[in-house]
Amino acid sequence: MGERRRVKQTRSLEERMADQAAKLKDRASQLPAGAEREALLKRARIAETGAHLSDWLTSPGVRPPN
C-alpha cells in the first residue's frame, strides 16, 4: 500500500466547517423551495453543529463521565 498523504491544515476544523455551512446556505438561498434546497440546508445545519462541537466539549458545564 502507498503512504498516506498528510496535509497540514492552516485553519481549524471548526473554521472550515463554519465556512462550509455558509457556502451551503448561500447555495440553498439561490434555489427554489424543494428537496434539493432542504438537503443543502440540512447539510449546513450539520456543519454548523460540527463547528460548535469543540466549544461545547470544552465548556465548563461539561463534566467527564465517572
Side-chain angles (χ1 to χ4, degrees), residues 29-48:
S29 72
Q30 297 171 17
L31 295 174
E36 186 179 359
R37 180 180 178 165
E38 290 305 312
L40 287 175
L41 291 173
K42 181 178 180 179
R43 288 176 54 201
R45 285 190 299 273
I46 291 168
E48 286 177 331

Side-chain angles (χ1 to χ4, degrees), residues 18-66:
D19 286 349
Q20 178 69 12
K23 288 176 188 173
L24 289 167
K25 282 182 174 182
D26 186 51
R27 283 178 39 202
S29 72
Q30 297 171 17
L31 295 174
E36 186 179 359
R37 180 180 178 165
E38 290 305 312
L40 287 175
L41 291 173
K42 181 178 180 179
R43 288 176 54 201
R45 285 190 299 273
I46 291 168
E48 286 177 331
T49 300
H52 295 292
L53 276 178
S54 69
D55 290 339
W56 294 333
L57 292 173
T58 58
S59 72
V62 176
R63 302 277 185 251
N66 292 333

